Amino acid sequence: MTTAASNLIPRASLFGYPARFGLQISPCGGWFGWIAPIDGVANIWVAPFKAIDRPHPVTRDNRRGITGFSFARDGRTVLYLQDSHGDENWHVFAADITTGETRDLTPWPGAQCGIAGLSRKRPGEVLVSANARDPRYSDLHVVDLATGAATLVIENPGFAHFLTDEQFVPRFALAMQPDGGSAVLAGSGEAWEPLMVFPEEDARTSGPSGLDAAGETLFYYDSRGRDTAALFAFDLASGTSRLIASDDRADISGTIADLETWHPLAYTVTYALTERHVLDEAIRPTIDLLDHAELGNWTITSRTDDDRYWTIGASSDLLAGSSWLLDRQEMTVRQLYEVRPELTGKALAPMAPVVIPSRDGLNLVSYLTLPAGTGSLEQGVIAPLPAVLLVHGGPWARDGFGYNPEAQWLANRGYAVLQVNFRSSTGLGKAFMRAGANEWGARMDDDLEDALEWAIARGFIDPARMAIMGASYGGYAVLSALTQRPERFVCGIDIVGPANLQTLIDEIPPYWEDARLHLYASIGDPRTEEGRAQLTARSPIHHAARIRRPLLIAQGANDPRVLKQEADQMAAAMQANGIPVNYLLFPDEGHGFARPANDIAFKTVAEAFLAHHLGGTCQPPVREEVAGTTMQLVEGEDWLTELHRAITGLA
């Protein structure tokens, strides 16, 4: 099946900058803010509450663009993060809403910084984290927004992170334990005492959530003695815990809190779909209003201090996104804009959630997206379709239901798209996550295979026309599949995926030090002979000679998580074995491709690669989409060399 050229959705409509996104309202209620491009680069815009049609930009970035921001609580400043060419050494910047003056609040060379807190009680300041002193651990500093003066709050003696109160006083810390578990510590300064300890099996699903405004109750997630993480309240005076919410299918994933007390009013849980449940009846009319407004999947993106106004982000599998204003006094909700209006009326593809059994009895929450007009989960398809198995990264992450630009892009080009929450995926309980321990390149691969067999047996997918594609861990899954099952897929696309598990562990960023034991427990422990043998056996680099199918590798040169050497090693191993390899390098990118020109240039190649090997539809390169790309072709087959010349010539 191919898609008619007239029905092709331009890549720029899916992967270029949206018209506007990230709507927020300032805590004082005086300003709206969002992100929109200036000369093709994303910047922050603001508009008065009563004149949203008269916005002005407050930043003028002309490099990588800005992807998110927060209003400070002083009523005149927006805060945002930026790194350099994808190195993930984020700095905290402040921009004045009126003048547009921009300042780096964390001018410490080579440091990774972040916004650690904003408070109603300290409106002229921001709490920042920074690993300038010790690259492994982040200290806390208070920065005065008016002067930029930074005051050290606490030096981090080796904790994963701190939990502070509204005065920016550290009250709790999370510390990793030698056995891979974690401990919540209570105290201040140098005096810290264990409040609760989570064993290794619970450490990934348990931990502190927040402190109430009175400083009397700690809210936390806990999977001890159960499978899924439940929400609890710990009374600090009595030392007793109270269960607030739980779900046997999935972990509690978030709450809506009262702005005065910070006590939870409602909670969310996501199994196949996201659900919200009311804890306090005072919030029910608001939840009901939003649930019945036919918004699709909705989330709160900001709230005013008086809690009258909420901004809402909404999307669905067939809607790229829209932003709404909720007035809780008038009980009205109105749309302010669509994120990608150019997609209105386009033939987007419906996504269907399905739970697929694995061979050893696990439930694999998965999503099947079929090209528009080809069939449905209930009715099937007329004929089996070419398919792309799209593997999520992490692996401690998950796929969910809703608008997915990659799924829409691939479905629009004529492919069925299958996304699988394989073991190790998050949010589905600790047993499901722990089932992936030491299963990289083994049972985690089997889960993907079992989901494919399910789709093949039901006639959705043509087993002779399948590709596998993924980023980060998903890229590893591509390399593992092509080496372990060399005849299974027609081709594979690896995006920033590790090829050598030993070097992956050896070269983790210093600020991942707390995650080291988790990596050992999940991938293989290099401190033991057995662990080293497993790392070698499960590393695709050592099995490159088995590859029989075309492979496309894409890598950011500045990636701090999966270093460029991973892609270099894989390409060199294939060449040493006389196997053709296609290798794209982006010198100004990191772990993924942030600049739309680069992302779209990669998608242009990937689309042609899939069409060349699977027979789907392909949109020719478009000058406006790729202008300014830095994409380099390190190695490539003849046809890809010609395509690269065409793309870079257009650029």
Side-chain angles (χ1 to χ4, degrees), residues 58-69:
V58 295
T59 62
R60 294 278 183 177
D61 183 65
N62 59 8
R63 298 176 298 148
R64 291 176 61 77
I66 298 167
T67 58
F69 72 98

Side-chain angles (χ1 to χ4, degrees), residues 420-505:
V420 184
N421 284 309
F422 46 86
R423 68 192 69 204
S424 280
S425 300
T426 56
L428 300 167
K430 69 183 182 187
F432 190 80
M433 182 180 294
R434 286 179 56 78
N438 291 306
E439 296 297 344
W440 285 46
R443 291 184 179 179
M444 290 161 72
D445 285 8
D446 292 344
D447 289 344
L448 300 175
E449 178 69 15
D450 292 347
L452 279 175
E453 284 297 330
W454 175 92
I456 292 168
R458 284 155 182 77
F460 292 111
I461 290 176
D462 181 351
R465 294 185 294 165
M466 299 190 305
I468 181 170
M469 174 177 173
S472 193
Y473 171 82
Y476 167 83
V478 171
L479 299 178
S480 179
L482 295 190
T483 54
Q484 300 299 326
R485 296 178 171 91
E487 305 294 336
R488 185 56 159 158
F489 295 96
V490 173
C491 60
I493 302 177
D494 155 37
I495 309 158
V496 298
N500 187 330
L501 298 184
Q502 181 66 65
T503 55
L504 174 71
I505 287 180

